[in-house]
Amino acid sequence: MRKKTYAMRYVAGQPVERIFPPGALLHVGKALPPGAPLTTESTLRVMVWNIFKQQRADWLSVLQDFGKDAHLVLLQEAQTTPELVRFATTHYLAADQVPAFALPQHPSGVMTLASAHPVYCCPLREREPLLRLAKSALVTAYPLLNSQTLMVVNIHAVNFSLGIDVYSKQLGPIGEQIIHHQGPVIMAGDFNAWSRQRINALYTFSREMGLEEVNFTDDHRRKAFGRPLDFVFYRGMSLSQASILVTRASDHNPLLVEFNARESTLL
C-alpha cells in the first residue's frame, strides 16, 4: 500500500501539525487568508541547501550565520532533529517538511523555513524506481507586500533511475501548480541533473513554465559527471545577486540568492 504523502509543520509554541495535500490547486481559491508578508524589506533573501542529513560538523553554524537572515531557507535531506527544529522555530514563523523516508530516529526530506506563514501547502513524493526510496518536493505560497502571492517550490529530485520517465513524472505535478499560478515563482533545490537527458528535461520544463535560471559567476555548486546538481529558477521577479558559500558542512554548497521584492510582476 502506498504511503500517504503529507507535510509536518513546525511553529514555535504549537503542536506539530500534519498537512495533507489540498483538494485543489492554489489558483482555485483554496488558499488561507493572507497574513503578514514574507518580507517588508526591498530585498527577498533565499538560501538553498542540501544539508546532507546534518551528518557533518558545523551545519548548524552555517545555518546560524547565513540562514537566519534569509526570508526563505529551502533545505533538502533535512532530518527533523531537535537541533534543526529548534533553529527553525526560533528564527522562522513556520517550517514545513515533507518526510521522504524514515531514518532510525528522524524522517528526512525537503524542508522550507519561512519568515511568514504559508497560505498554501502541497507536499509531493516520488519513489526512486531502483532503490524504492522516496524523494520529496513541497509547494508553498506566501503573501508579498504588493498583494501578490509568491509560489515556492522546494525539490529533491529522484536520483537513481533509468532514462528520464520517473524524473519527468516528478516534475509533472509541480508544473501543474506553476503554470496556473498568476504571480512570482521560485523553484529551487537539488535536481540531480547529472545526465544530458536530465538537464535537457529540466531546461525544457523551465522554459515551458516561463522560468529563468539563476547563474553564478563563481560556480562552486556540487557537480556529478561535470554537471551541477543544485539550481534556482524564478519568474516574475528581479534578481539582485547570487553567490555560493563554499563549506565542508555538507556534501553540497549552499546557494544564496537575493531578489528585489518590490519588483515582482503579475503574469
Side-chain angles (χ1 to χ4, degrees), residues 1-4 127:
M1 183 177 174
R2 191 176 180 89
K3 291 177 65 175
K4 283 190 173 181
R127 193 172 293 280

Side-chain angles (χ1 to χ4, degrees), residues 13-40:
Q14 296 185 18
V16 180
E17 184 181 1
R18 186 173 290 196
I19 310 290
F20 289 97
L25 298 176
L26 175 60
H27 75 284
V28 180
K30 294 294 183 181
L32 298 172
L38 194 58
T39 176
T40 56

Side-chain angles (χ1 to χ4, degrees), residues 215-231:
N215 295 306
F216 299 91
T217 304
D218 295 316
D219 196 345
H220 296 285
R221 287 178 290 178
R222 164 77 186 274
K223 292 182 173 64
F225 304 108
R227 296 179 175 88
L229 302 178
D230 306 305
F231 292 83

Side-chain angles (χ1 to χ4, degrees), residues 110-129:
V110 299
M111 187 178 198
T112 301
L113 288 56
S115 58
H117 291 288
V119 296
Y120 178 82
C121 179
C122 182
L124 299 165
R125 289 168 78 247
E126 188 62 52
R127 193 172 293 280
E128 299 264 15

Side-chain angles (χ1 to χ4, degrees), residues 28-190:
V28 180
K30 294 294 183 181
L32 298 172
L38 194 58
T39 176
T40 56
E41 304 173 39
S42 59
T43 299
L44 174 65
R45 293 182 293 275
V46 183
M47 180 179 187
V48 181
W49 191 22
N50 183 322
I51 201 170
F52 196 46
K53 305 181 185 72
Q54 297 108 277
Q55 293 182 72
R56 294 189 180 175
D58 297 331
W59 65 267
L60 184 56
S61 63
V62 170
L63 275 183
Q64 289 171 336
D65 289 343
F66 295 92
K68 65 180 175 56
D69 293 324
H71 302 100
L72 286 167
V73 176
L74 278 59
L75 301 175
Q76 300 83 47
E77 292 193 27
Q79 279 198 76
T80 47
T81 59
E83 294 84 3
L84 180 57
V85 172
R86 189 179 307 117
F87 171 83
T89 54
T90 299
H91 296 285
Y92 291 89
L93 281 183
D96 293 289
Q97 189 226 28
V98 184
F101 59 93
L103 295 162
Q105 282 185 300
H106 309 288
S108 171
V110 299
M111 187 178 198
T112 301
L113 288 56
S115 58
H117 291 288
V119 296
Y120 178 82
C121 179
C122 182
L124 299 165
R125 289 168 78 247
E126 188 62 52
R127 193 172 293 280
E128 299 264 15
L130 299 181
L131 298 182
R132 308 306 296 163
L133 298 173
K135 289 288 194 293
S136 58
L138 178 63
V139 181
T140 47
Y142 306 91
L144 296 176
L145 263 181
N146 57 9
S147 300
Q148 287 190 275
T149 302
L150 171 67
M151 177 172 282
V152 177
V153 180
N154 183 356
I155 181 172
H156 191 191
V158 292
N159 195 6
F160 302 104
S161 63
L162 300 174
I164 58 167
D165 288 349
V166 179
Y167 192 79
S168 298
K169 181 185 174 188
Q170 187 182 18
L171 291 174
I174 294 171
E176 288 180 32
Q177 302 272 343
I178 295 174
I179 205 164
H180 287 104
H181 179 59
Q182 297 190 5
V185 175
I186 295 172
M187 180 179 78
D190 178 356

